[in-house]
Amino acid sequence: DVKVTQSSRYLVKRTGEKVFLECVQDMDHENMFWYRQDPGLGLRLIYFSYDVKMKEKGDIPEGYSVSREKKERFSLILESTSTNQTSMYLCASSLWIAGGYNEQFFGPGTRLTVL
Amino acid sequence: AQSVTQPDIHITVSEGASLELRCNYSYGATPYLFWYVQSPGQGLQLLLKYFSGDTLVQGIKGFEAEFKRSQSSFNLRKPSVHWSDAAEYFCAVGHSGTYKYIFGTGTRLKVLA
C-alpha cells in the first residue's frame, strides 16, 4: 500500500513564525501536491511538483513556498505565518501516467493553528 | 471554467437506509472523475474512480457511482448505509492539461442509529 506521511498532525504557531511542513511518500510517485482544506471551501491546491526540483503554483500559492530536493519528499514552507493560514494542510502523491490522471493518495493532514 | 458542484452540504440518513450523494461537473471533454471519503481527523481515501468504459463504477465499502454524460453528473450511491459511513465525501474531476484535480466543497454525511 502507498503510504504518505506528514511530519506533524497538529501544530500551534505564533504570527510571524516560520513553519516547515514535510511530506514523505514511499511509492516512488512522480507527482506530489499540497492542499489546504477549509470548511465550506473544500480542498484548494497550493503547489504541486511533477519531478525533483520542479514545481508549479496551484490556485492559492500566496504566502507559501515549496521544496522538492528528493523524489519522495515535498516540503511546504510558510515563511511568516499569519492567522489566515490557520487550516488543515493535506499532502498527496500520485503516479504519472501518460495522457491521463491517476488517483491521488493522501496523508493524514496537519492541522495548523496560528495565534 | 471547469468546476465541480456538490449541492448538498449536509445529509442525514438512518442506518440501513439508501444513500445518494450528488456531484455535477462542468468540463469540456471526457472527464476523469473520483469520489473520496474523509473520516474525522483523517486524510482522504479513494472510494472509486471513472476514467472510461462502463458508466456504473463499483468502489470500496459497498459504494458505487454512475457517470451520466447527458446530466454532467457522477452521483455516489450505497444501498444500505452503516454508522461507520459517517464522514465527509468529496467529488473531484481531473483538470485538463495538468495533473490537477478540482474538488467539490464536500458533503458531510450523518448517520442516525
Side-chain angles (χ1 to χ4, degrees):
Chain A
D1 282 351
V2 173
K3 192 168 184 182
V4 180
T5 57
Q6 295 184 227
S7 50
S8 304
R9 294 298 304 274
Y10 301 94
L11 276 178
V12 179
K13 295 292 181 181
R14 297 206 175 273
T15 301
E17 288 187 316
K18 188 171 185 175
V19 174
F20 286 90
L21 302 181
E22 194 165 68
C23 175
V24 178
Q25 50 94 1
D26 66 357
M27 284 300 292
D28 205 36
H29 285 174
E30 291 84 4
N31 303 322
M32 295 189 75
F33 308 82
W34 275 107
Y35 295 91
R36 65 175 282 175
Q37 181 181 14
D38 300 288
L41 297 178
L43 277 71
R44 294 179 291 166
L45 182 66
I46 304 172
Y47 269 97
F48 77 100
S49 169
Y50 50 91
D51 202 350
V52 174
K53 296 189 185 295
M54 306 304 289
K55 61 187 179 184
E56 283 197 21
K57 293 180 181 179
D59 300 315
I60 51 164
E62 296 79 19
Y64 304 93
S65 61
V66 291
S67 172
R68 192 166 181 201
E69 297 296 318
K70 294 185 178 182
K71 190 174 185 180
E72 68 271 17
R73 198 177 297 267
F74 191 35
S75 299
L76 180 69
I77 303 152
L78 292 71
E79 290 287 346
S80 178
T81 51
S82 61
T83 54
N84 62 12
Q85 292 179 309
T86 292
S87 187
M88 170 73 94
Y89 290 88
L90 293 167
C91 176
S93 71
S94 72
L95 189 66
W96 181 86
I97 59 171
Y101 298 85
N102 212 346
E103 65 179 283
Q104 294 186 12
F105 294 85
F106 284 82
T110 296
R111 184 163 295 281
L112 173 66
T113 301
V114 182
L115 303 175
Chain B
Q2 290 134 347
S3 64
V4 176
T5 302
Q6 293 181 247
D8 303 305
I9 299 173
H10 294 99
I11 282 186
T12 300
V13 300
S14 297
E15 191 170 19
S18 63
L19 173 70
E20 183 169 31
L21 303 182
R22 296 183 289 165
C23 174
N24 293 99
Y25 64 89
S26 171
Y27 194 79
T30 300
Y32 296 82
L33 296 160
F34 306 83
W35 273 101
Y36 284 84
V37 61
Q38 184 180 33
S39 298
Q42 303 298 316
L44 277 68
Q45 179 185 21
L46 182 73
L47 284 175
L48 46 79
K49 60 188 176 186
Y50 172 77
F51 285 0
S52 64
D54 192 346
T55 57
L56 185 62
V57 180
Q58 302 296 320
I60 63 170
K61 305 186 181 192
F63 285 91
E64 67 178 26
E66 186 171 13
F67 170 59
K68 293 186 177 179
R69 183 187 300 276
S70 62
Q71 299 177 20
S72 297
S73 70
F74 188 56
N75 294 347
L76 182 71
R77 301 193 295 246
K78 187 170 184 178
S80 178
V81 170
H82 187 263
W83 64 266
S84 60
D85 293 324
E88 191 158 21
Y89 292 80
F90 291 93
C91 182
V93 63
H95 191 293
S96 174
T98 77
Y99 297 105
K100 293 167 59 175
Y101 282 13
I102 299 173
F103 281 89
T105 52
T107 297
R108 187 170 294 277
L109 173 66
K110 183 177 179 179
V111 180
L112 300 177

